[in-house]
Amino acid sequence: MGDIDFFYDSPYRAELYDLQWNSPNLPDMDVYWKGFADLLAQHGKSIPQNRPFTLLDVGTGTGRILLGLLKKAAATSLDTSTAKFIGMDNAPPMLDLAVKNAAKEQIIPPVTWVVGSATALHELSPIRQQGITVDLLIFSFSSICHLRENGELKQFFESCTKVLTPGTGRAYISFVDGLLQRPGTDVASEFPPFGDPVEIRSLAYPGVWYREENDAGKFKGDILFMTNRMKVFKKLPEGGEEVLESHSGCHQLRRFSEAEVLEALESVGLRIVDTLRSDMMETYLVLQLPE
Ligand SMILES: C[S@@+](CC[C@H](N)C(=O)[O-])C[C@H]1O[C@@H](n2cnc3c(N)ncnc32)[C@H](O)[C@@H]1O
């Protein structure tokens, strides 16, 4: 299933991620919302009613995109009653928090949360057991750059071909600028740190605080190395801190050249049908598996 990144491997880490990034207002939501609403409407018109619309959120994390879409659907009275929703991730602490986040929302339809690997989507139990195909697949927040081993990008695209509905299904894949190298552009040797240093109080664990900072990343070849220091602690009444968890490690992400992405797509038979942008310096490739 591939190693779980240390960034996501504890309940504290999952909460820290959630506190920092789980906002419904990030600009990528508009891209996915439009795709979701359009595809769902199209499905209602042209697809036999006995086949449910299925959305698969790959690397769902704490459910930011999937739950964001479902909350927006409820708020706008978009009928999702016949659709299926699957959130998958390879980090159980992230999924556990997604389950808790979903439980806070009374209005959303049921979601199947499942541990699995982005490179073996066809092995996910709800897909294997129910023989369903996916009408909208989302891999958000440039999470594809976690697939840093040679060959993993192609394996991911190959597994998309095994689950996407031929013809009408779409996969939305995001790449942050700087991790998708376009021809004729400078090859950067550094990458800005992910956000400013933070000190945040936990909402889930009484008295617990998080402190985190990231250094600017440095590329060695196509791998971005970014040092992350994170501490989970309690502030003691007499001063000082009781440290509950402390970690310093190097986050590694892969930069892909546009040429290698195009080659991997072509080799598995996926087609780019649209290329979108948002105000968060991301490009979204919209992919189709031709019939
Ligand atoms: C940057 S977070 C994005 C979370 C969420 N999609 C969002 O937009 O907020 C990346 C997520 O991808 C997951 N991930 C990384 N590699 C994965 C893999 N090979 N298979 C499944 N999930 C993976 C991580 O565990 C993490 O939850």
Side-chain angles (χ1 to χ4, degrees):
M1 170 170 316
D3 291 342
I4 300 172
D5 197 299
F6 72 82
F7 229 62
Y8 312 111
D9 72 355
S10 83
Y12 290 134
R13 280 275 183 192
E15 195 200 14
L16 177 58
Y17 178 91
D18 201 56
L19 290 170
Q20 290 184 90
W21 302 108
N22 191 356
S23 157
N25 301 322
L26 295 185
D28 58 348
M29 189 58 81
D30 292 341
V31 172
Y32 301 125
W33 170 252
K34 182 162 187 336
F36 174 48
D38 288 354
L39 287 166
L40 191 62
Q42 199 180 312
H43 186 90
K45 281 189 213 134
S46 57
I47 313 285
Q49 288 304 309
N50 57 2
R51 194 177 71 67
F53 180 92
T54 300
L55 190 164
L56 171 63
D57 187 20
V58 178
T60 192
T62 59
R64 179 178 71 93
I65 297 295
L66 184 43
L67 297 177
L69 291 176
L70 292 179
K71 278 192 263 182
K72 198 160 175 170
T76 56
S77 303
L78 183 73
D79 181 11
T80 56
S81 57
T82 58
K84 280 184 185 293
F85 300 96
I86 305 169
M88 69 79 64
D89 203 285
N90 69 351
M94 297 294 272
L95 271 185
D96 290 346
L97 190 46
V99 172
K100 287 184 187 150
N101 285 340
K104 287 185 210 151
E105 308 293 337
Q106 302 301 323
I107 41 167
I108 61 160
V111 175
T112 304
W113 303 102
V114 60
V115 177
S117 168
T119 53
L121 299 173
H122 51 291
E123 289 174 9
L124 295 175
S125 49
I127 290 184
R128 211 165 18 92
Q129 287 161 7
Q130 296 166 34
I132 50 182
T133 58
V134 173
D135 300 292
L136 172 58
L137 183 154
I138 295 173
F139 205 6
S140 65
F141 238 173
S142 212
S143 306
I144 196 166
C145 297
H146 285 294
L147 306 182
R148 55 179 187 266
E149 302 297 332
N150 288 337
E152 273 193 305
L153 179 74
K154 186 173 162 197
Q155 275 174 33
F156 164 65
F157 287 145
E158 209 157 31
S159 84
C160 289
T161 67
K162 294 181 184 163
V163 300
L164 266 186
T165 306
T168 53
R170 295 288 181 273
Y172 280 60
I173 314 295
S174 81
F175 291 88
V176 71
D177 293 353
L179 294 180
L180 180 64
Q181 187 68 42
R182 296 184 185 283
T185 56
D186 290 343
V187 180
S189 57
E190 292 213 344
F191 193 89
F194 292 144
D196 296 325
V198 290
E199 186 167 303
I200 313 179
R201 183 197 279 271
S202 166
L203 297 180
Y205 305 102
V208 168
W209 288 76
Y210 302 110
R211 190 177 295 130
E212 186 190 44
E213 60 182 330
N214 292 291
D215 292 344
K218 292 202 185 322
F219 284 100
K220 287 187 195 148
D222 281 329
I223 302 295
L224 174 67
F225 292 84
M226 188 172 272
T227 299
N228 168 275
R229 285 174 292 279
M230 185 266 206
K231 197 181 270 186
V232 186
F233 62 98
K234 286 189 169 179
K235 295 184 180 182
L236 299 173
E238 62 274 18
E241 295 169 354
E242 179 196 355
V243 177
L244 305 176
E245 191 173 298
S246 172
H247 189 259
S248 171
C250 213
H251 200 45
Q252 294 178 37
L253 294 169
R254 177 140 182 176
R255 170 173 58 193
F256 296 107
S257 71
E258 192 179 69
E260 76 183 307
V261 173
L262 297 180
E263 192 185 310
L265 288 173
E266 196 180 357
S267 71
V268 301
L270 284 172
R271 211 159 66 91
I272 300 176
V273 290
D274 212 349
T275 302
L276 306 169
R277 289 282 300 171
S278 76
D279 288 345
M280 52 192 262
M281 297 193 302
E282 282 188 340
T283 295
Y284 308 86
L285 300 183
V286 184
L287 309 177
Q288 177 207 38
L289 177 66
E291 277 175 298

